[in-house]
Amino acid sequence: MLNAILVGILETVYMTVVSTIFAYVIGLPLGVILYVTDKGGTHPILWLNRVIGFIVNFLRSVPFIILLVWVMPITRAIVGTTIGSTAVIVPLVIAAAPFIARMVESSLKEVDLGIIEAAQSMGASSFQLIYKVLIPEAKPSLLVGSAIAITTILGYSALAGTVGGGGLGALAYNYGYIRRDEDVLLVTVILLVIVVQIFQEVGMLIAKKADKRVK
Amino acid sequence: MSDEIIRVEELNKTFTGKSGTIVALDGVNLSIRRGEIFGIIGLSGAGKSTLVRCINFLERPTSGRVLFQGRDLAELKPRELLLARQSMGMIFQGFNLLSQRNALQNICFPMEIAGVPRADAKKRANELLELVGLSDRADAYPSQMSGGQKQRIAIARALSTSPSVLLCDEATSALDPNTTRQILELLKHINKALGITVVMITHEMKVIETICNRVAVIDESHIVEMGEVKDIFIRPQSKIAKQLIFPQGDDAPNISKAGKRSLRLVFDGTSAFEPIISQMTLDCRAAVNILAANTKNVDGKTYGQMVIQLPEDEVSAARIEAYLKDRSIFFKEEVPENAECDTGRYS
Ligand SMILES: Nc1ncnc2c1ncn2[C@@H]1O[C@H](COP(=O)(O)OP(=O)(O)OP(=O)(O)O)[C@@H](O)[C@H]1O
Ligand SMILES: [Mg+2]
């Protein structure tokens, strides 16, 4: 049993971290594109903004459990199976990337427009503006966002346990729900809370440490 | 070769929004000379910020031309425009420092953009920190600095790519009078020492008086008046200039009693008026009547103007004029209202 719990924790952390990384690989650029192509943005391209905005909103409005089942063909095409921790990463990324894109967009919107104007007045190119001004200036807010993202993804990953994903969610479902083993259920709940807390606290700490605005 | 560095021709800028069209600039013409400190003054909403933003093309004019060093900015390729902007530094009311970078890194920022090697950039940044008197604050983040210090860092940052023009949009408006003076002195020093042309946008006449050579008065999207600061200060033509010079509402002192000659003295901050006037009374052995005064004393220096009535005795009057000339006090003979202004005399 102890072994199963240990494996459960490792699988949960694995799914969460890998999904978060891939979700950011997709979500961060999307968030930047949403920001710069918006009406008041540095490179307004309204049609592109609308198209991406629509896809993002659409994916965000599909409940995760439905998305999970729905994207199974894609999962099978990419991973070769729809069962197990690795397979769950695909729907997790598809669900989390749009959410991350919106969070990134809102973090970038917090950047003082005056600072952007100053950088433009120095002859910064659009690309320099993004990687030298927008992202570094939004860094503390982006880090807070990533702490939220990672805990949200962890929550989704537990849900994925019910349809053949691994991790603590599967453990809780298989032992707690199917076999009615209340003790295992309790232990997994406590462990999930602890893992969430650790991710959350560490994320917030890093965000705080990174912010140069506080003395 | 002309000594003109910036030329603005028939500049128009309109903004179209939901609430209709806003004309921010209408038929603006300017010629800014190399090495001068040129002021642009106007009330809030007059179009000042829009005008500077058009000068470095952060804002594209709706029509009209902006020439920088003889080149029409509209004809530059995007890459060339970025390079042109690197030779126009800019500072702002809100400083606009990068909050996640310390002072040194902020100063290095434009050099990173321009592709200056890191070691060279750091060396130059340290020199600039010295120039603005903040060598000891290299590691401080903007949140750890006062407004005046932040503006100094912003100035150092704007100078890092050795621009030929420094655009200042309300650079002192967020600072207290003392800090304002220090920043203005720094700008004046930079102008002298480095020969950089400075364009000062402000709504404060004091800023114009203190450092500008020439000034344009902008009101409701138009330039209503332009010329030497002294001339405009002595005899503002437009309602808005009068209002800016005498914000208390009292009109320019222009009492001139029939018969007696009166002089309008201008104090531009290079001297204090009390010792001048009392010494004048002693030296010239003549008393003068102060008919009107609108002066301000800052740090023992007088800004503003005053109308004095000369004694009827012509010898004393001549002595007083000679005395004023000797002391480099700018003055102009006061003429009754409506009469044409006679030529001003610069001492
Ligand atoms: N991006 C914009 N979109 C729409 N209207 C604008 C924009 N920028 C400026 N305006 C309008 O243009 C006019 C001039 O604005 P501007 O900012 O140039 O004034 P200002 O003289 O700098 O004022 P202040 O002293 O308050 O800074 C104002 O009526 C303003 O509302
Ligand atoms: Mg303004």
Side-chain angles (χ1 to χ4, degrees):
Chain A
M1 189 67 245
L2 192 72
N3 202 36
I5 292 177
L6 213 66
V7 169
I9 294 177
L10 285 179
E11 280 178 349
T12 293
V13 172
Y14 161 74
M15 284 187 291
T16 308
V17 171
V18 174
S19 304
T20 306
I21 291 169
F22 279 112
Y24 263 94
V25 168
I26 299 168
L28 185 70
L30 279 183
V32 171
I33 294 172
L34 280 172
Y35 175 86
V36 299
T37 58
D38 202 3
K39 235 195 319 311
T42 48
H43 253 211
I45 310 174
L46 283 188
W47 67 266
L48 185 64
N49 190 275
R50 299 262 162 75
V51 170
I52 294 176
F54 176 78
I55 295 170
V56 161
N57 290 349
F58 172 76
L59 286 175
R60 287 190 60 196
S61 57
V62 179
F64 180 62
I65 194 83
I66 294 174
L67 195 78
L68 205 56
V69 180
W70 200 33
V71 301
M72 274 181 178
I74 302 176
T75 309
R76 190 169 294 118
I78 296 175
V79 191
T81 171
T82 60
I83 308 289
S85 316
T86 306
V88 165
I89 289 172
V90 175
L92 280 177
V93 170
I94 293 174
F99 163 70
I100 286 168
R102 282 294 181 210
M103 273 205 312
V104 167
E105 184 193 11
S106 95
S107 290
L108 297 182
K109 277 185 176 162
E110 288 169 29
V111 175
D112 186 352
L113 292 177
I115 292 176
I116 295 167
E117 184 183 2
Q120 286 174 323
S121 79
M122 293 163 197
S125 65
S126 302
F127 192 56
Q128 286 171 325
L129 208 59
I130 291 166
Y131 82 97
K132 278 194 179 296
V133 181
L134 283 171
I135 292 178
E137 281 296 298
K139 196 167 85 182
S141 170
L142 287 170
L143 286 170
V144 170
S146 69
I148 296 170
I150 203 164
T151 50
T152 306
I153 290 171
L154 194 141
Y156 283 168
S157 82
L159 199 61
T162 59
V163 290
L168 290 172
L171 207 64
Y173 182 72
N174 293 335
Y175 287 80
Y177 181 72
I178 309 278
R179 298 193 202 166
R180 300 265 160 215
D181 186 337
E182 306 259 315
D183 291 346
V184 175
L185 192 60
L186 187 68
V187 169
T188 48
V189 168
I190 292 172
L191 285 174
L192 276 171
V193 169
I194 291 174
V195 175
V196 167
Q197 283 296 322
I198 290 173
F199 278 135
Q200 184 72 30
E201 289 303 313
V202 170
M204 289 308 203
L205 197 76
I206 294 172
K208 211 170 162 193
K209 270 262 150 66
D211 195 351
K212 304 297 195 260
R213 283 171 298 184
V214 279
K215 276 151 240 183
Chain B
M1 267 294 289
S2 80
D3 62 347
E4 176 184 76
I5 187 159
I6 294 168
R7 183 176 187 81
V8 173
E9 287 174 357
E10 285 305 319
L11 190 74
N12 291 293
K13 178 73 197 179
T14 52
F15 292 106
T16 15
K18 287 199 185 78
S19 51
T21 305
I22 299 165
V23 179
L25 294 171
D26 186 7
V28 169
N29 290 292
L30 281 182
S31 163
I32 298 172
R33 298 170 193 155
R34 193 179 294 276
E36 76 174 334
I37 304 185
F38 188 87
I40 298 172
I41 190 169
L43 299 177
S44 184
K48 307 182 293 295
S49 295
T50 308
L51 179 53
V52 260
R53 290 167 54 80
C54 282
I55 290 178
N56 63 7
F57 255 49
L58 283 181
E59 207 80 81
R60 291 229 162 213
T62 310
S63 67
R65 299 205 304 164
V66 177
L67 287 94
F68 174 60
Q69 294 182 327
R71 297 166 80 197
D72 186 342
L73 291 184
E75 282 166 11
L76 297 185
K77 296 191 190 81
R79 177 94 204 113
E80 293 171 325
L81 179 62
L82 295 183
L83 288 174
R85 283 198 190 133
Q86 286 171 12
S87 30
M88 288 190 259
M90 188 166 181
I91 58 172
F92 308 83
Q93 176 170 4
F95 322 122
N96 295 346
L97 295 176
L98 292 147
S99 65
Q100 304 298 330
R101 285 179 173 232
N102 67 25
L104 191 84
Q105 293 164 338
N106 259 290
I107 301 173
C108 287
F109 179 70
M111 295 187 275
E112 278 173 33
I113 285 176
V116 176
R118 198 168 285 263
D120 298 352
K122 209 169 160 200
K123 184 162 163 282
R124 172 136 181 88
N126 277 311
E127 288 164 12
L128 286 163
L129 274 170
E130 198 155 322
L131 176 75
V132 299
L134 285 176
S135 295
D136 54 332
R137 302 292 276 151
D139 299 329
Y141 285 90
S143 65
Q144 299 164 320
M145 288 187 277
S146 71
Q149 289 174 331
K150 280 189 252 193
Q151 196 61 292
R152 283 169 189 274
I153 297 299
I155 291 171
R157 180 175 71 169
L159 295 177
S160 68
T161 46
S162 306
S164 42
V165 176
L166 184 61
L167 305 171
C168 312
D169 189 358
E170 303 270 11
T172 59
S173 301
L175 304 173
D176 65 44
N178 225 353
T179 317
T180 295
R181 276 179 52 80
Q182 290 168 3
I183 293 293
L184 292 180
E185 258 155 42
L186 176 63
L187 289 174
K188 203 171 192 170
H189 173 71
I190 286 164
N191 167 257
K192 283 249 161 63
L194 311 176
I196 292 178
T197 309
V198 178
V199 180
M200 288 292 294
I201 302 287
T202 183
H203 64 269
E204 292 173 304
M205 199 62 202
K206 199 178 71 211
V207 170
I208 302 288
E209 287 164 44
T210 314
I211 66 166
C212 293
N213 309 116
R214 290 194 308 138
V215 63
V217 183
I218 182 167
D219 185 31
E220 292 178 353
S221 329
H222 293 88
I223 302 272
V224 290
E225 207 166 328
M226 181 154 58
E228 297 284 327
V229 171
K230 277 177 184 167
D231 291 341
I232 293 199
F233 198 57
I234 287 173
R235 196 162 275 286
Q237 302 294 330
S238 60
K239 198 167 140 249
I240 199 76
K242 286 178 188 160
Q243 209 174 313
L244 286 161
I245 294 169
F246 308 108
Q248 305 90 337
D250 27 337
D251 214 59
N254 54 17
I255 307 137
S256 82
K257 291 227 172 111
K260 291 186 181 175
R261 292 171 61 210
S262 44
L263 296 182
R264 182 185 297 264
L265 314 187
V266 176
F267 296 92
D268 58 3
T270 47
S271 50
F273 95 89
E274 273 157 43
I276 295 274
I277 299 296
S278 51
Q279 194 62 37
M280 178 170 79
T281 319
L282 287 175
D283 281 12
C284 309
R285 277 157 277 131
V288 292
N289 261 338
I290 296 176
L291 294 179
N294 194 326
T295 58
K296 272 178 244 159
N297 277 325
V298 183
D299 269 2
K301 286 173 184 163
T302 303
Y303 297 89
Q305 42 182 304
M306 177 187 289
V307 178
I308 59 168
Q309 196 172 37
L310 293 175
E312 263 174 298
D313 156 27
E314 277 186 17
V315 181
S316 308
R319 259 208 298 265
I320 286 173
E321 285 186 66
Y323 173 88
L324 291 171
K325 241 184 213 173
D326 195 42
R327 294 295 150 110
S328 306
I329 304 292
F330 178 75
F331 66 92
K332 200 168 189 178
E333 177 113 25
E334 196 48 7
V335 285
E337 273 292 80
N338 304 329
E340 268 305 297
C341 219
D342 68 350
T343 48
R345 260 180 293 189
Y346 291 86
S347 31

